[in-house]
Amino acid sequence: MSILQYDFMVRALIAAVLVGLTAPAVGIYLVQRRMSLVGDGIGHIALTGVALGFLTGNSPVFSAVVVAALGAVAVELIRSRGGASGDVALSLLFYGGIAGGVLLMSLAPSGGNVNLLGYLFGSLLTTAPSDLIVMGVLAAAVLVFTVGLRPWLFAICHDEEFARVSGFPVRLLNILLAVSAAVTVTVAMRVVGVLLVSALMVIPVATAQQVSRGFVATMAGAMGLSVTVALTGAVGSFYLDVPSGASIVVLAVLVFLVVTAVAAAVRQLRRRSAAARPDRGPIVAAASAGSGTASLDGAGTAAESAESAAPAASTGAGAPSR
């Protein structure tokens, strides 16, 4: 029996694809900036927005977008001005966000405990047509920003001072990136929940780094893997009757472990091959080092950064040709 005959499953699969594309598209920049847990912080404050929507009788998704975006911008401004360290700002989001959400939800007329659980851990199979429309619009906006402005965003994440000297609008791009992360959390909360959304933003990127070289290849690999995991987890949750959000995240973790183990084994084989053939040792060793964990700070991405920033360095704040 095909699951596509059920309208709710069709909507669920579309939602899974949207989240699978947007989460790593933003997450790759967070990983590059060593802010992998920022999705958790924004997710917690988005919970306050959800509760505020139930309290006021408005759309929880809309209120979550607004509150999460404001929180993300506040954290970015605090971080950029040096008024508080990044970990303190994230702590404020973690504790204040979830506490505010629980408090406001308790004041809502219906209590909303069951509905709140759906936003905490995801409820993919209950995605409504109106939810899908909102998710589609938000996902399109995030992808246009993260993919269309990829050279600029990579430049500020790789070397913010260099980007500023090159004439990039660093503060504006940082704020827009923070807002994109907030929107991504809101898009994904119906699929994996606000407590698990950071996993889908980080794990596919970390997995793609094991086998990819260069920023573009890592982004493409992470997005493809995220979509595959999201679809597989959604289908598996339907047949196994298990929570969809947890299924997707657990599957992503398993894929990461398998890819990491295989990559380590390949590197070990190449080292042994280099030791057995001394005449090819330097060549094999270089290939082995390059095919390991594809750090976004590596030579390939550094070259891409220089190439992307070159037009801007000569024309001020003009957009790079890439």
Side-chain angles (χ1 to χ4, degrees), residues 2-322:
S2 174
I3 62 174
L4 297 181
Q5 65 179 322
Y6 300 107
D7 292 339
F8 72 91
M9 276 306 301
V10 174
R11 293 193 297 268
L13 295 178
I14 295 175
V17 171
L18 293 176
V19 173
L21 290 173
T22 54
V26 173
I28 191 170
Y29 299 110
L30 301 181
V31 172
Q32 171 70 357
R33 303 185 76 171
R34 295 175 175 84
M35 297 178 63
S36 300
L37 293 179
V38 73
D40 273 334
I42 297 176
H44 282 70
I45 201 169
L47 184 63
T48 299
V50 171
L52 185 62
F54 281 114
L55 180 63
T56 59
N58 296 318
S59 169
V61 175
F62 175 76
S63 60
V65 170
V66 174
V67 174
L70 292 176
V73 170
V75 171
E76 174 56 34
L77 292 177
I78 293 173
R79 183 197 67 82
S80 62
R81 294 181 179 179
S85 61
D87 59 338
V88 173
L90 284 177
S91 297
L92 292 175
L93 285 177
F94 269 69
Y95 306 129
I98 196 167
V102 173
L103 178 62
L104 292 178
M105 187 61 71
S106 66
L107 298 176
S110 61
N113 292 328
V114 176
N115 292 327
L116 185 60
L117 289 176
Y119 288 97
L120 281 172
F121 301 104
S123 184
L124 178 60
L125 301 183
T126 62
T127 304
S130 58
D131 295 331
L132 201 59
I133 293 175
V134 174
M135 291 174 64
V137 172
L138 295 177
V142 169
L143 290 175
V144 168
F145 173 70
T146 55
V147 177
L149 296 183
R150 176 188 55 79
W152 284 15
L153 294 176
F154 176 82
I156 67 170
C157 291
H158 183 71
D159 191 338
E160 189 169 300
E161 290 302 320
F162 175 76
R164 184 176 286 107
V165 172
S166 299
F168 291 159
V170 173
R171 174 166 295 181
L172 176 61
L173 290 173
N174 280 331
I175 291 176
L176 291 177
L177 183 59
V179 172
S180 296
V183 172
T184 301
V185 169
T186 311
V187 170
M189 68 182 181
R190 292 294 292 173
V191 177
V192 295
V194 295
L195 297 184
L196 300 175
V197 63
S198 184
L200 207 56
M201 296 172 72
V202 173
I203 295 176
V205 176
T207 305
Q209 285 179 324
Q210 305 295 317
V211 294
S212 300
R213 300 180 62 186
F215 188 81
V216 176
T218 301
M219 173 181 274
M223 294 172 70
L225 175 62
S226 182
V227 170
T228 302
V229 168
L231 288 174
T232 305
V235 174
S237 66
F238 172 79
Y239 286 111
L240 299 177
D241 193 22
V242 294
S244 57
S247 301
I248 293 172
V249 173
V250 168
L251 184 58
V253 171
L254 291 176
V255 172
F256 170 78
L257 294 176
V258 171
V259 171
T260 300
V262 172
V266 170
R267 289 194 297 270
Q268 182 66 23
L269 289 175
R270 288 181 174 177
R271 282 194 292 266
R272 291 180 179 178
S273 176
R277 303 183 62 178
D279 56 319
R280 298 187 59 195
I283 299 176
V284 176
S288 177
S291 62
T293 301
S295 171
L296 299 181
D297 294 325
T301 54
E304 181 178 349
S305 177
E307 178 185 353
S308 300
S314 61
T315 62
S321 60
R322 294 174 68 98

